[in-house]
Amino acid sequence: MVAFDKCETRPAHIDAILNGLDRYNPETTTVFQDYVAQQCEDRTFDCYANLALLKLYQFNPHLLQADTVTNVLAKALTVFPSPAFSLCLALLPAYTQPFPTTTDAQTASQASDFVESVQKLSGLSTLLESAQYTQFWSTLNSDDLYADLIADVAGFEELVRIRIAVEVGKAFRSVSAETLEAWLDVRSRDALEKFVADVCGWKVEGGVVRVPTNKENEARSEVKSERVGVDMFGRVIRRGFELPV
């Protein structure tokens, strides 16, 4: 899987901005905003470009576009468990954070819709990071606002399902089909079998999903040996024979 901070599809003009002084030019915010929209459409993710945009917003708060910020955060959810979401969240105004100060809370009241959106996405990130996948899907489906927040991100559910499957494949050799249906929010056994076969290369046998052995889920013993020579303790032994002054 490609690292979250690599983007092989980054356009040349975006690369030029990121490697030059224009990355600090407020006029480039429109370029980055268009690039975020492009990422949402073609299912790519460019962490460094998105962080550069959020840094520009940090320097120029009057340029901040709430819809673009929520799109950046929603895209970051699709590459969990990477630190992308946390990095993006850290560049947002203090009043959007889950635990604002009194002053921040007063500021937040003036932009309550934006703050609510950021905190709802932050809650989804927490559920994914803590592997509460069933709760993630039930929360996502519980409020129309969540649907609005991910509406611009093409294939959001599919991308998240793939990430969940990757994490499951790292931790399990087998898992009940019923459990995996809940984790992936797949509605039927046929749909589950098709997903695990086409996307993951796994098999469903008698109500159990079999995950092939890989370097992450393989059970293996690890033997560690340490070589400790007397010379390593020379100073300790010498101090033992020294007379106190």
Side-chain angles (χ1 to χ4, degrees):
M1 182 172 290
V2 179
F4 82 98
D5 56 350
K6 302 293 183 182
C7 184
E8 302 295 337
T9 59
R10 179 185 296 159
H13 70 285
I14 297 294
D15 196 57
I17 292 174
L18 291 174
N19 289 289
L21 294 178
D22 275 343
R23 69 179 298 162
Y24 304 107
N25 184 350
E27 295 181 0
T28 60
T29 55
T30 56
V31 178
F32 282 127
Q33 286 165 179
D34 291 341
Y35 185 39
V36 170
Q38 178 184 333
Q39 293 174 55
C40 290
E41 292 176 1
D42 59 22
R43 305 189 183 192
T44 58
F45 181 74
D46 193 332
C47 185
Y48 285 160
N50 295 345
L51 290 174
L53 173 60
L54 296 181
K55 177 62 72 173
L56 283 172
Y57 285 157
Q58 195 176 52
F59 292 151
N60 308 276
H62 62 287
L63 297 177
L64 187 148
Q65 287 192 356
D67 289 344
T68 300
V69 172
T70 54
N71 282 343
V72 167
L73 293 178
K75 285 294 298 182
L77 288 176
T78 65
V79 294
F80 96 96
S82 78
F85 189 92
S86 297
L87 291 173
C88 292
L89 188 65
L91 291 177
L92 298 187
Y95 64 80
T96 66
Q97 305 303 314
F99 304 102
T101 64
T102 302
T103 302
D104 294 333
Q106 294 174 350
T107 305
S109 65
Q110 302 173 7
S112 57
D113 290 343
F114 176 51
V115 173
E116 182 182 9
S117 298
V118 171
Q119 295 191 4
K120 280 184 174 295
L121 290 170
S122 182
L124 291 179
S125 176
T126 298
L127 292 173
L128 287 174
E129 293 292 341
S130 56
Q132 299 181 60
Y133 304 133
T134 303
Q135 183 64 27
F136 166 82
W137 292 112
S138 63
T139 301
L140 183 66
N141 297 325
S142 67
D143 191 334
D144 289 341
L145 178 57
Y146 289 108
D148 293 337
L149 292 174
I150 66 173
D152 293 337
V153 182
F156 177 86
E157 290 93 343
E158 181 183 353
L159 292 170
V160 172
R161 284 191 185 97
I162 292 173
R163 287 288 176 167
I164 292 175
V166 169
E167 295 307 301
V168 170
K170 292 178 181 179
F172 295 89
R173 292 285 301 279
S174 65
V175 58
S176 74
E178 183 179 358
T179 298
L180 194 57
E181 284 176 13
W183 286 351
L184 298 177
D185 193 38
V186 177
R187 306 295 182 179
S188 68
R189 186 60 52 85
D190 290 341
L192 176 67
E193 292 182 0
K194 179 175 176 55
F195 179 86
V196 299
D198 296 348
V199 178
C200 309
W202 304 343
K203 295 180 179 180
V204 180
E205 300 176 351
V208 177
V209 179
R210 303 294 181 185
V211 182
T213 303
N214 58 62
K215 65 179 182 180
E216 299 291 342
N217 68 9
E218 181 181 9
R220 57 184 182 274
S221 60
E222 184 175 354
V223 179
K224 293 185 178 180
S225 60
E226 297 182 358
R227 298 182 60 185
V228 181
V230 176
D231 57 310
M232 298 177 64
F233 292 93
R235 184 176 179 181
V236 177
I237 296 173
R238 184 170 63 254
R239 290 291 298 272
F241 288 96
E242 291 178 353
L243 295 177
V245 179

